[in-house]
Amino acid sequence: MHLLLLGVSHKTAPVDLRERLDFSSRDLGAAVEALATRPSTAESVVLSTCNRSEIYVASDDPFRAREDMTAFLSEYHSLEPGSFAPHLFAHSDEAAVRHLFRVAAGLDSLVVGEPQILGQVKDAFQTALDRRCTGPILGKLFRWSFAVGKRVRTETALGEGAVSISFAAVALARKIFGRLDGRRVLVIGAGEISTLTAEHLRTNSVGEIQITSRTMASAETLAAAVAGVAIPWEQAMGTLGHADIVVTATGSQRPILTRAHVEAATARRRTDPLFVIDIAVPRDVDPAVGDLEHVFLYNIDDLQSVVQENLSRRAAEIQHAEAIVSEEIVKFASWQRSRGVVPTVVALRQRFDAIRRSELQRLDGKFAGLPPEARAKADEVTRLIVEKLLLDPTEQLKALPDEETQVAYTEALNRLFRLRPTESSTDVTDPSPSIGPGDRHRS
Amino acid sequence: MNLIPLVLYAAAGVAYAIHFVRRQPAVGRTATTLLLLAALSHTFVIGMQTMEVWHAPIAGVSRAVSSFVWLLGLSYLYLELTTEERAMGVFILPILIGLQMIPVLYPGVANPAPVLDSPWFWVHVASLLFAYASFALAAMLGLTYMLQFKEIKKKHLGYFYTRLPSLHVLDAMNSRAVIIGWLFLTIGVIVGVVWTAQARASSPGDVNIQAMSLDDPKIFIAVLSWLVYSFEVFARRTLGWTGRKSAWLSALGFAIVLLNFLPVSYFVTTSHTFQ
């Protein structure tokens, strides 16, 4: 069984092509089902976000599967293969594993370390699972990738530090005020970044958010979006004294908040800190406001440099994260190798069990006089003996270090016990006897 | 016997330092566990010493220091377990380790003078030790507040910014530590005054007791620290002196306390040197 990956990402394809190859806006479940019905694709998962469309397949016939995957992309999106082929990347086996692990870890993201991707990978797998399109190989691979993503997040600082202006502002507020519950916010000017910041503040459960703008209508729109209160422009200075966090983002050419304003408005606050976020260009707040003892003033450049610093700190963690990915690839490869012996293990079990059954059957006449409990007990005991006899050989076999030794051992076992293992890979927990090449895993 | 707690404090100190640098949750839990073990073994040591002499082992500087370390360790653990903030450990542990070396290096066995054999004395010393432990915590919190304040104010969001708790949390913890310390300091001083008055009457010939007055450096400095902390408590409530001002006062107060606890006890005072 081989692992195959075909896809486009922000690294290989421009946005308009990514849009045309996007699955997420349409029914992802239908897409993965359409892919899975192709004869060469034993197991399929489709991962689609705004930055990537990737299809993962496990197949016994990699050449056919690769053709099928390209054909699927072309047919599903009604695109000529020539129009997207130059932008495709294709990986197989270990390279495909590495790619998925890096994606789940956030290493392949546009903003390295961003947290959403892991959830998106989980959703993609869940969809395939719900539609019964995945199987033991992709199941193991994807679950493994979740663990890699989690490990990278807990063991490295790859996802640490805000990397957008609005997140940086909220992170700062939390370092000043601790929990933001009940903190009062005043937003002056309803622009894009102030909207984002207000939204983040709202999700951090701040208290009242007051919004003012020169045009009352835009204040009201923003107020509705963040469950805030719109107040007239003229009243803004009056409410300044009650605010803990002030966000300014007007188009004013001159500062609208001077030191005198803030001093007067906050005279009664004593030393309670006031956090002023000035994201306007040109600046809305006189820099002298920042000289006040209890005022923390950050303008857009300050926040930008915080973001820059965090980005470079994340970059410094990349090596550490890549090391974790490599480590996990080695572990995954050894799991995959252990699957090579599965047919032999299954055959061995079947052989032993067949002997057990036939012996029990042979003795059936002698057991006839026994009560049913005793017969059940005999069945149970013989089964346990077989299990115990096979436990160590099974574990030893799966732990063999390389493929060559594996082949030698399985051949020896086949000869010693007259086994004829079926070629199809089967889960070791499923020792059902008749899995021919035609039966494909869809469970 | 004080060596085992010292070794465990040192191990916890190393773990807290590693945790501060690398911020791995598992290392943090190890640090807390080591500190818990240190506090437990220290409790055992102090319990044994109590059994040995049949009173709390707080007479004599060496044993008083050991008890102080024990109380500070426990207070810090309480603070850590209630706030789930581990970053302060790296500042507190060096104090614990440094001070715990005193009883290890100078294990002086003090048999308290007969005049000290009064319940007042034990209340007096125990309250003051606990007050000092709280003040030590408050001072550390104040110091870290100033570090954090400086980083945010100067827009240098660096090493400490990511590791230290928020200004609000540091300030709230500081306030709590100062109020608790101030209460025990007040109790300790009042009990000291009452007990001195009693002892004066019962042992008129004791030089120590006769030297108990504001002229004595130890008593003078104790009263001075009481004034500083009283002002801090008062100013927080009525003048709104929170944050940086409060942090400074905590550091100043503890500098005075430390002065009293170590050099003054050894070299200067005449009143508190019971042989």
Side-chain angles (χ1 to χ4, degrees), chain B residues 251-274:
Chain B
L252 174 71
F254 189 63
I256 296 172
V257 164
L258 216 52
L259 195 69
N260 220 3
F261 203 41
L262 297 173
V264 171
S265 287
Y266 273 114
F267 306 117
V268 193
T269 183
T270 51
S271 70
H272 281 66
T273 50
F274 296 95

Side-chain angles (χ1 to χ4, degrees), chain A residues 27-30 32 46 122-133:
Chain A
D27 185 359
L28 187 67
V32 71
V46 175
K122 283 182 180 174
D123 289 345
F125 175 67
Q126 192 59 47
T127 307
L129 195 66
D130 291 344
R131 303 290 176 122
R132 297 173 152 268
C133 298

